[in-house]
Amino acid sequence: MNDRSRTDEPLLPTTNEVQQAPSFTEQEPGRKGEILDAALDVFAERGYSGGSMREIATRVGVSEPALYRHFSGKEALFLSLIKLGAGRLRNEAFELIDALRPETLREQLLGMFDDRRRALTLYTPLMRTILPTVARDPAFLEAFRETIIRPVFVHLSEKAVDLDASFQVPDAATTREHRVRALFSLLVGTFLTSILLGDKPDEAVTQAALEIMGWE
């Protein structure tokens, strides 16, 4: 078992110190970002099927034809919300995964739960807006998978190579894919069940994650 030495360095990147989710104008400056912000508001209120390009244009304060200079239609606009919004969460997840170190792994995993809860709070309007539509539409679902699910899984798998070596996991290469899949399912499932049950089983889940991966 590795010694877990204390360090004055932060265990996790401070990616969510802000108190509200950033505007899309930070990623797409100018009119395009304003349209995306307005579209998120409209779709959050009315859903994808109920939201219209006309209402989005009204919220932005431009004519409807002006929207089509930036987006070919409502589907393209919603795809941009998925790719940019989920892309933020993906990039934050990458930073958290990259920061994991064997000597402080338990503490970092515990900190990760709190960090992602803050992120879910910040991004609740975005996720509540896109996920119901993603679940019903194959094209949007594939965009969501390609933007965040598959990249995070691959990134976690790549990090597992280094951690497996540090913890000298037996037969690491032959079991890694299954272990990472189980870890991924455990982490995602914990966030969902925590919301439903209203609990925070962080210690137990962290221990289970370390046992699944052999990182003890």
Side-chain angles (χ1 to χ4, degrees):
M1 181 181 297
N2 288 29
D3 292 333
R4 294 181 172 83
S5 59
R6 296 293 177 180
T7 175
D8 293 330
E9 297 179 5
L11 295 179
L12 294 170
T14 54
T15 57
N16 290 301
E17 292 180 352
V18 294
Q19 296 303 306
Q20 62 182 21
S23 165
F24 280 106
T25 56
E26 296 182 20
Q27 294 170 281
E28 294 284 352
R31 184 68 74 195
K32 191 170 185 179
E34 293 173 3
I35 293 170
L36 288 164
D37 283 334
L40 179 59
D41 290 341
V42 170
F43 292 138
E45 294 171 12
R46 305 192 183 281
Y48 176 73
S49 59
S52 69
M53 295 291 276
R54 178 175 297 179
E55 184 170 1
I56 294 169
T58 299
R59 297 283 182 99
V60 180
V62 299
S63 65
E64 186 174 349
L67 260 62
Y68 289 94
R69 290 199 288 269
H70 298 278
F71 299 96
S72 61
K74 188 167 74 167
E75 181 177 353
L77 180 48
F78 198 81
L79 280 170
S80 289
L81 287 177
I82 293 172
K83 291 176 180 179
L84 291 175
R88 292 173 181 166
L89 290 168
R90 176 202 63 219
N91 293 341
E92 290 177 8
F94 281 3
E95 290 186 28
L96 294 171
I97 292 169
D98 289 340
L100 294 175
R101 303 188 297 274
E103 64 272 14
T104 52
L105 186 57
R106 182 181 295 272
E107 292 88 344
Q108 287 183 295
L109 289 175
L110 287 168
M112 188 181 292
F113 283 111
D114 283 336
D115 182 273
R116 292 299 84 192
R117 284 193 185 97
R118 288 194 297 272
L120 287 175
T121 299
L122 294 174
Y123 293 112
T124 290
L126 173 68
M127 301 309 287
R128 282 183 175 172
T129 299
I130 67 174
L131 287 181
T133 302
V134 162
R136 294 191 299 267
D137 187 290
F140 293 150
L141 177 58
E142 183 59 24
F144 188 76
R145 286 172 176 157
E146 286 296 322
T147 300
I148 185 170
I149 301 301
R150 292 190 182 108
V152 171
F153 184 84
V154 169
H155 212 72
L156 185 58
S157 299
E158 292 170 347
K159 186 65 177 184
V161 174
D162 295 333
L163 292 173
D164 282 350
S166 295
F167 288 96
Q168 300 180 344
V169 177
D171 300 319
T174 58
T175 64
R176 185 176 300 118
E177 182 178 354
H178 297 297
R179 287 185 290 116
V180 172
R181 178 65 180 267
L183 175 63
F184 196 78
S185 299
L186 175 65
L187 297 177
V188 173
T190 295
F191 283 115
L192 293 177
T193 56
S194 291
I195 292 170
L196 295 174
L197 298 175
D199 62 358
K200 296 181 179 180
D202 299 359
E203 291 281 356
V205 173
T206 295
Q207 180 60 35
L210 294 174
E211 291 177 1
I212 286 171
M213 297 304 297
W215 294 340
E216 294 188 283

